[in-house]
Amino acid sequence: MGIFDTLRSVLGVRAETDAVSDADPEDLFGMSTAYVTMEADLGFASVGEAALCFSSVDSTDFADTVDAVEAILDAGSEETGTTFRRHADDYGYNWVVLADDDPEDLVTSVHFAADEFVERGYGSRLLAAVFGFERDDGDRAYWVYSFRRGSYYPFAPTGTSSRDNKIEFKLESVLDGELGLESEKEYWYPLWPDTPTGHPWG
């Protein structure tokens, strides 16, 4: 299953009917303490990037919303130093990719962006927030927050089509109670990177 099938069937169309809560950007703040636990207890440090994925609407109002999100991130970058870029993948989905060595700033910036979508009535267009981690041995892991499900799940790709379930279950056991985790494993869908060493956001 490619990233298009993943987003469309799970984080997008399918999850629309299976949603358990409205998009709530406040859930993202749980990642602030999760960063500490990931490094202290599991040896996973931040990769220095995080991303927000959303689907677009062909309307002037939505375009204005995206402009407002960029304006907020521009203003925030002056204080935090967090940089960002827009990326549209090959399947029609949009990413706001943020870069900062400080995980707290990443969480804050992703929250600001997501909250602006919600405030302007486009919370339903939010698909996922993705936070990346890596270990000295080269292993990578991600926490994916599904806005449609209102929960986090771990994802540990070992290439472009395989994953390390052992790492994922370890992350689940350690972070259970600290993050609101997705209890139904069928919703732990992969967001495959385009290259073996790439990130899901490209």
Side-chain angles (χ1 to χ4, degrees):
M1 177 180 287
I3 189 171
F4 172 72
D5 298 319
T6 299
L7 290 174
R8 181 168 182 168
S9 68
V10 183
L11 299 178
V13 175
R14 178 180 167 189
E16 185 77 44
T17 59
D18 292 342
V20 296
S21 65
D22 294 329
D24 187 358
E26 297 305 308
D27 292 343
L28 297 172
F29 284 123
M31 190 54 57
S32 295
T33 59
Y35 271 113
V36 177
T37 303
M38 285 288 288
E39 186 163 12
D41 295 359
L42 296 164
F44 278 99
S46 170
V47 299
E49 289 189 339
L52 184 70
C53 183
F54 62 95
S55 58
S56 64
V57 179
D58 188 14
S59 74
T60 301
D61 187 61
F62 185 76
D64 290 343
T65 295
V66 174
D67 288 343
V69 169
E70 292 189 355
I72 287 174
L73 294 176
D74 269 330
S77 68
E78 297 179 5
E79 179 178 344
T80 65
T82 306
T83 61
F84 73 94
R85 61 183 172 87
R86 284 276 307 283
H87 169 65
D89 62 32
D90 293 336
Y91 310 107
Y93 292 94
N94 295 276
W95 298 80
V96 175
V97 183
L98 301 126
D100 196 305
D101 291 334
D102 187 338
E104 289 276 358
D105 290 342
L106 287 176
V107 173
T108 299
S109 295
V110 173
H111 173 268
F112 280 156
D115 193 54
E116 186 67 12
F117 278 109
V118 172
E119 288 297 315
R120 288 175 171 260
Y122 290 106
S124 64
R125 310 311 298 179
L126 294 172
L127 300 177
V130 187
F131 302 88
F133 302 83
E134 61 186 353
R135 289 196 301 209
D136 290 339
D137 60 7
D139 286 336
R140 279 187 175 174
Y142 301 87
W143 279 106
V144 181
Y145 178 75
S146 170
F147 286 96
R148 301 290 176 79
R149 296 288 295 174
S151 58
Y152 286 92
Y153 65 87
F155 174 50
T158 56
T160 58
S161 60
S162 59
R163 63 199 297 179
D164 191 325
N165 295 124
K166 183 177 180 181
I167 289 179
E168 291 175 356
F169 293 146
K170 180 64 174 178
L171 265 58
E172 178 193 28
S173 67
V174 173
L175 275 295
D176 186 24
E178 188 165 344
L179 293 176
L181 302 187
E182 175 58 65
S183 60
E184 298 182 49
K185 302 297 191 295
E186 66 179 290
Y187 289 102
W188 288 20
Y189 280 86
L191 297 176
W192 301 118
D194 291 332
T195 63
T197 58
H199 297 298
W201 49 80

